[in-house]
Amino acid sequence: MELREKVKAFMAEHIYPNEPFFHANHPRQSAAGREKMKELQAITKSLGMWAPHLPAAAGGMGIGFMPYVYMNEILGRSPYAPIAFGSQAPDSGNAEILWQFGSKELQEKYMRPLVAGEIWSCYSMTEPEVSGADPTGLRTTAVRDGDEWVINGHKWFTSQAEGATFAIVMCATELDQPPHRRFTQIVVPTDTPGFEIVRPVPVMGETEGSHCEIRYTNVRVPITNTLGEPGSGFRIAQKRLGPGRIHHCMRWLGQMQRAFELMCEYSLKREVFGSTLSEKQTVQNWIADSYVEIQAARALTLSAAKKIDQGDEARVEISAIKFFGAQILHNVIDRAIQVHGALGVSGDTPLESMYRNARAARIYDGPDEVHRMVVARRILQSFKAGNGWDFGLQ
């Protein structure tokens, strides 16, 4: 509780007041933005709140999984907060898998400066020619040639690629193995010959997220840049994505709550047809529905987080919170925009940016439809085995 209060105080003093500045000066894409963000990062470091996702031995806070889960509920209220705390995606996930699966050499060369905030990175998995819903179809290959991998392929939505020092690339390497044993994750410095950023892909009208299209043409890196064992790419990805989806959903809760607050506050002061919006039944229904949905999403997410913390893979619970949380995020922000009217779609509130991200949330980390399929199939498998389903009521 003390940590959460410290984080809330930091947000109120340093993040919210600087949002307009960062909106005009992106903390990754402008010199002024980078300089200002460095100032905020220095403060979080001095307060002992830097890199909450990592153990102390890796340069992080060492607070453990559940405290970080609760912390993300607050950080999620602003897109700039995770950067200020050194826990932004994809850097946080990349640092975690470098810590768990990288050699000492890779950790010293890439993880240490990444955790320190001296560099940033990108994660290169999705491809335009194949469906991201079925990653076993990925076509980028890495072929052994002596002591090197030779990588060829085409990726896109490699977020934060512009200015990144290295990418972690998912490549097919073990083509004679079953689909989930064919892929390997490899560290690729972005200054390697053959690594080409084609363009930042516009997403809902903006390129701020630097979601890049990349071509790999005879890119050569040492075999020692392999994370884990060849063929373990999906196992490593699951270690990254499972807890990562919990953190996504907790940050979505922060977004929902902020949109909810904006909706309630504006409805109390905006007058139309002789009374405030808060007195209109439709608006009251939106507020009531949003409250219940946020509470339901929060309870579901925390339940999944506790299972993960206890060592359970929680496959059903993670898929459930992913598609349910993304839908509630969209619903609440959409209602908040409607209450604000024209103001809601302008850049004068954070709602329009939140809405773009909410729509994308139903696609990245697996589309809603795939997660629904996972939930249904696993529950039905349990019933076929005669086990029914335990809702935790015992």
Side-chain angles (χ1 to χ4, degrees):
M1 187 62 71
E2 180 183 349
L3 174 60
R4 279 183 267 177
E5 291 304 316
K6 284 177 65 177
V7 175
K8 287 178 183 178
F10 183 92
M11 297 283 288
E13 184 176 355
H14 298 289
I15 299 296
Y16 304 137
N18 280 303
E19 283 183 331
F21 175 82
F22 285 129
H23 189 66
N25 303 273
H26 193 272
R28 282 284 186 260
Q29 297 178 338
S30 79
R34 287 192 293 272
E35 183 178 349
K36 184 65 178 179
M37 184 54 74
K38 285 290 183 185
E39 294 176 13
L40 300 188
Q41 290 175 336
I43 297 172
T44 56
K45 288 178 180 179
S46 70
L47 294 172
M49 296 194 297
W50 180 256
H53 55 295
L54 289 170
M61 288 178 68
I63 57 175
F65 183 70
M66 286 306 296
Y68 180 46
V69 166
Y70 285 108
M71 193 172 170
N72 268 315
E73 188 174 15
I74 306 167
L75 299 185
R77 294 171 64 89
S78 172
Y80 308 112
I83 306 175
F85 284 76
S87 62
Q88 71 282 356
D91 291 335
S92 56
N94 287 350
E96 287 173 331
I97 60 176
L98 277 164
W99 175 244
Q100 294 179 62
F101 302 101
S103 65
K104 293 295 182 185
E105 179 186 355
L106 289 176
Q107 289 174 3
E108 288 301 318
K109 189 173 183 179
Y110 296 109
M111 188 199 77
R112 297 293 179 184
L114 181 66
V115 174
E118 297 167 2
I119 61 173
W120 65 85
S121 64
C122 55
Y123 189 75
S124 204
M125 182 169 177
T126 306
E127 299 178 2
E129 290 83 9
V130 296
S131 171
D134 181 12
T136 60
L138 294 172
R139 298 176 182 175
T140 296
T141 61
V143 177
R144 293 177 181 84
D145 183 17
D147 293 333
E148 294 181 317
W149 290 115
V150 181
I151 301 172
N152 284 280
H154 186 198
K155 302 285 189 179
W156 73 340
F157 285 91
T158 297
S159 301
Q160 204 177 257
E162 292 179 305
T165 298
F166 69 92
I168 293 178
V169 188
M170 181 75 90
C171 305
T173 62
E174 317 302 306
L175 300 182
D176 58 341
Q177 295 297 314
H180 283 91
R181 290 288 301 162
R182 289 176 188 163
F183 294 87
T184 302
Q185 297 200 35
I186 303 169
V187 176
V188 176
T190 57
D191 62 359
T192 307
F195 179 96
E196 176 197 1
I197 295 179
V198 179
R199 59 173 177 140
V201 179
V203 177
M204 302 291 279
E206 61 92 7
T207 58
E208 200 173 75
S210 186
H211 306 294
C212 290
E213 178 184 358
I214 298 177
R215 288 200 181 272
Y216 297 83
T217 306
N218 294 324
V219 174
R220 288 180 172 269
V221 297
I223 292 290
T224 52
N225 280 24
T226 305
L227 290 172
E229 297 296 323
S232 64
F234 277 129
R235 181 174 66 85
I236 293 173
Q238 198 57 48
K239 289 281 187 180
R240 187 181 195 274
L241 290 173
R245 287 181 180 129
I246 297 284
H247 302 316
H248 271 315
C249 291
M250 290 305 293
R251 289 180 182 178
W252 292 348
L253 285 166
Q255 291 273 293
M256 297 176 207
Q257 292 161 14
R258 190 174 182 191
F260 180 79
E261 291 165 10
L262 290 169
M263 175 168 58
C264 292
E265 290 165 359
Y266 192 77
S267 74
L268 287 166
K269 65 183 181 184
R270 186 65 164 183
E271 292 192 6
V272 61
F273 299 119
S275 65
T276 63
L277 286 172
S278 62
E279 296 178 62
K280 312 299 183 186
Q281 185 179 33
T282 295
V283 174
Q284 291 177 356
N285 287 340
W286 286 344
I287 290 169
D289 289 347
S290 296
Y291 169 77
V292 171
E293 289 173 354
I294 292 170
Q295 290 288 56
R298 189 174 193 273
L300 201 61
T301 304
L302 288 174
S303 175
K306 287 170 184 173
K307 280 201 167 188
I308 289 280
D309 193 45
Q310 293 164 1
D312 194 313
E313 289 190 348
R315 293 285 183 88
V316 167
E317 290 80 4
I318 287 174
S319 284
I321 64 170
K322 202 286 178 183
F323 75 77
F324 184 71
Q327 186 63 64
I328 301 309
L329 178 67
H330 179 276
N331 290 352
V332 175
I333 295 170
D334 185 68
R335 293 170 189 143
I337 288 174
Q338 199 69 12
V339 167
H340 282 75
L343 175 63
V345 294
S346 76
D348 290 353
T349 78
L351 292 170
E352 58 91 19
S353 175
M354 291 163 68
Y355 189 78
R356 285 199 303 267
N357 292 328
R359 186 59 188 86
R362 294 182 55 203
I363 298 172
Y364 65 72
D365 276 359
D368 289 359
E369 294 75 16
V370 171
H371 287 288
R372 283 188 167 91
M373 178 183 70
V374 169
V375 170
R377 282 183 175 178
R378 286 184 172 269
I379 289 174
L380 289 171
Q381 285 170 1
S382 181
F383 273 89
K384 283 181 181 178
N387 298 323
W389 189 257
D390 179 12
F391 283 91
L393 302 177
Q394 298 169 341

